Amino acid sequence: MTVRFAARVDRVRPSAIRELLRLGEDPEVVSFGGGYPDPALFPVDELRAIFDDLLTPANSRVLQYAGSTGLLRLREQVADRLTADGTACTAEDLLITSGGQQGLDLVAKLVLDPGDTVITEDPTFLGALIAFNPMEPTYAPVRIDGNGMDTEDLERVLADSPRARMIYTVPDFQNPTGVTMSLPRRRRLIELANEHDLLVVEDTPYRSLRFEGDHLPTLRSLDTQGRVVHLGSFSKILAPGFRLGWLLADGEVLQKLSLLKLAGDTQCSTLTMAAASAYLDRYDIDAHIATIVAAYRRKRDLALSVLDERMPAGVRHTAPEGGLFTWLTFPDGVDTAALMQDVLLPQGKVAYVPGATFFPVAGPASHARVNFSGLPDDVLVAGLTRMSELVGAHLSGSGPSNK
Ligand SMILES: Cc1ncc(COP(=O)(O)O)c(C=O)c1O
């Protein structure tokens, strides 16, 4: 038969990152492409013990349906953690989601009609664009620098965006750049959202992965008007395979988002919610996070020292204070997708994510995102060394213009 796809499906396309994640599965390729946590850090033994205990006749309710907002005990635990982090809330303010990704999908469904505008950082998280695209929005990208979204540029963009419906931001250790929004900019962003009466979507999957520097308040904690929808995730602090995250929002917004979740998937898995909750009850997740942070700090240091020592001087990188990524800037004229396809993959079996894919409208081809968390230390160092040497040979051989 001929299936007539809905107009929105025009905006549902395979992404470069999906292809790359596939490439990363080839055991011969050292991929810095994915946003993977290090699987060696998953608390496998603890989780096995928890699942053993949960899967007994006395606990068979963990195999039953549960409410669409998520298990109350898990919401209480998340609320306690958020409150301790300075973002006061209760279980009633929270929805348990299928990762942070589902929060993005639900918010887009809640506020976007075709042709409405989403304000994003430029570049921004590709998964957010993938979640928003089916709602057929336009994008108004805002410049980002070492202090996060540039609020002067935001002011200009807002003045030019009559159909703006929401501001989407990753304020802590942004994906893909690794940069963090400064406190003055956080305050200014909230002021501007108030002036323009806009929803703010604050996406924080990396927030607790801080290696150094000042802990900054969430946008949600600076919001006095209930306009920030705060998204969080267990993916980077427990295990992404759990597919669990949370969404914090006010009154009617939360209610409608819960109904949209009900429509989409009824609820998150009762079993994995119960397992995450048992983990939080029985173990010290902050100690676990401290272990992860120490490992990723070491990996960040290793990655940056290889880049500092081996990459040609014309290739710059960000120095993230946390999270999983650094962002490379090559000399003008270098096309990082072509470089990867023609040189890095065939000659070095190494991959990153070419940067162009993260720009919501159009952007330079001369960036790349490098993940430093997902590989063992020796593979990380060997792979980045190989990448740097190939880039060096390529830039000095063919000059910076390899278009
Ligand atoms: C900025 C950002 N938001 C959300 C997500 C979604 O993660 P998950 O759905 O696993 O919680 C990711 C994953 O990499 C991310 O980088």
Side-chain angles (χ1 to χ4, degrees):
M1 77 172 276
T2 312
V3 179
R4 193 194 65 81
F5 292 125
R8 76 181 70 87
V9 179
D10 275 353
R11 302 278 298 266
V12 180
R13 301 233 166 100
S15 72
I17 206 166
R18 209 174 64 166
E19 298 307 311
L20 273 160
L21 289 175
R22 221 173 266 150
L23 253 181
E25 284 163 16
D26 172 351
E28 292 213 339
V29 170
V30 173
S31 177
F32 297 94
Y36 285 11
D38 182 350
L41 296 168
F42 297 152
V44 176
D45 292 336
E46 292 87 336
L47 292 175
R48 187 190 312 115
I50 285 170
F51 277 106
D52 266 359
D53 290 348
L54 288 177
L55 290 173
T56 55
N59 280 323
S60 60
R61 68 183 179 287
V62 302
L63 298 174
Q64 187 53 281
Y65 287 115
S68 65
T69 50
L71 291 182
L72 175 61
R73 178 69 193 129
L74 183 60
R75 283 184 288 123
E76 285 170 350
Q77 290 162 316
V78 171
D80 287 349
R81 293 187 58 73
L82 284 168
T83 302
D85 183 32
T87 303
C89 63
T90 68
E92 280 66 46
D93 306 319
L94 286 164
L95 174 66
I96 300 297
T97 56
S98 179
Q101 187 68 27
Q102 186 176 40
L104 298 169
D105 171 68
L106 295 177
V107 175
K109 282 182 178 150
L110 183 73
V111 299
L112 295 179
D113 285 317
D116 284 344
T117 303
V118 182
I119 315 272
T120 69
E121 282 137 0
D122 194 31
T124 188
F125 171 48
L126 178 61
L129 302 177
I130 290 170
F132 302 158
N133 280 344
M135 266 43 79
E136 304 174 72
T138 61
Y139 294 102
V142 176
R143 207 165 44 226
I144 183 170
D145 61 22
N147 288 314
M149 186 187 276
D150 175 344
T151 41
E152 276 183 25
D153 198 41
L154 173 62
E155 194 170 353
R156 180 192 63 76
V157 167
L158 284 172
D160 243 12
S161 304
R163 289 192 64 180
R165 294 289 176 266
M166 66 184 196
I167 303 172
Y168 168 67
T169 175
V170 183
D172 304 296
F173 323 120
Q174 197 235 16
N175 182 358
T177 62
V179 304
T180 293
M181 194 187 297
S182 68
L183 182 54
R185 285 192 178 173
R186 288 174 195 238
R187 294 194 199 287
R188 183 66 185 139
L189 186 148
I190 294 294
E191 273 174 17
L192 288 168
N194 288 345
E195 271 171 35
H196 291 263
D197 199 16
L198 284 177
L199 201 74
V200 176
V201 180
E202 174 182 41
D203 189 12
T204 68
Y206 309 108
R207 180 165 169 81
S208 37
L209 302 183
R210 177 172 277 287
F211 312 148
E212 67 224 358
D214 294 335
H215 194 71
L216 296 170
T218 60
L219 293 170
R220 172 78 196 181
S221 71
L222 300 173
D223 167 29
T224 54
Q225 301 188 356
R227 64 178 63 258
V228 175
V229 176
H230 175 95
L231 306 178
S233 176
F234 282 107
S235 288
K236 305 306 191 294
I237 56 173
L238 191 55
F242 265 47
R243 304 310 305 130
L244 287 178
W246 56 89
L247 181 158
L248 163 60
D250 268 29
E252 201 188 354
V253 171
L254 184 71
Q255 252 175 33
K256 295 277 189 221
L257 289 167
S258 305
L259 290 172
L260 286 168
K261 171 155 175 82
L262 182 66
D265 68 354
T266 316
Q267 60 163 94
C268 292
S269 150
T270 314
L271 179 63
T272 51
M273 287 192 285
S277 176
Y279 184 87
L280 292 170
D281 269 336
R282 289 192 207 172
Y283 298 97
D284 180 354
I285 195 171
D286 288 315
H288 179 59
I289 292 171
T291 306
I292 296 174
V293 163
Y296 291 174
R297 184 191 295 117
R298 187 186 69 245
K299 288 176 191 294
R300 189 268 325 252
D301 290 346
L302 283 172
L304 297 195
S305 68
V306 175
L307 293 172
D308 284 337
E309 285 164 24
R310 305 289 185 117
M311 269 290 174
V315 181
R316 291 177 287 124
H317 61 76
T318 56
E321 292 187 332
L324 310 188
F325 307 107
T326 180
W327 179 243
L328 306 187
T329 302
F330 289 72
D332 286 347
V334 173
D335 178 340
T336 54
L339 179 65
M340 185 165 126
Q341 202 172 334
D342 300 341
V343 179
L344 302 180
L345 275 174
Q347 293 176 35
K349 297 243 179 239
V350 282
Y352 47 47
V353 187
T357 188
F358 300 103
F359 293 94
V361 178
S366 53
H367 296 281
R369 189 192 74 179
V370 167
N371 164 270
F372 50 75
S373 61
L375 296 168
D377 294 4
D378 54 338
V379 181
L380 168 83
V381 169
L384 272 186
T385 303
R386 210 151 69 231
M387 182 188 291
S388 305
E389 284 168 357
L390 282 168
V391 169
H394 180 74
L395 292 188
S396 63
S398 61
S401 179
N402 69 338
K403 277 215 147 149

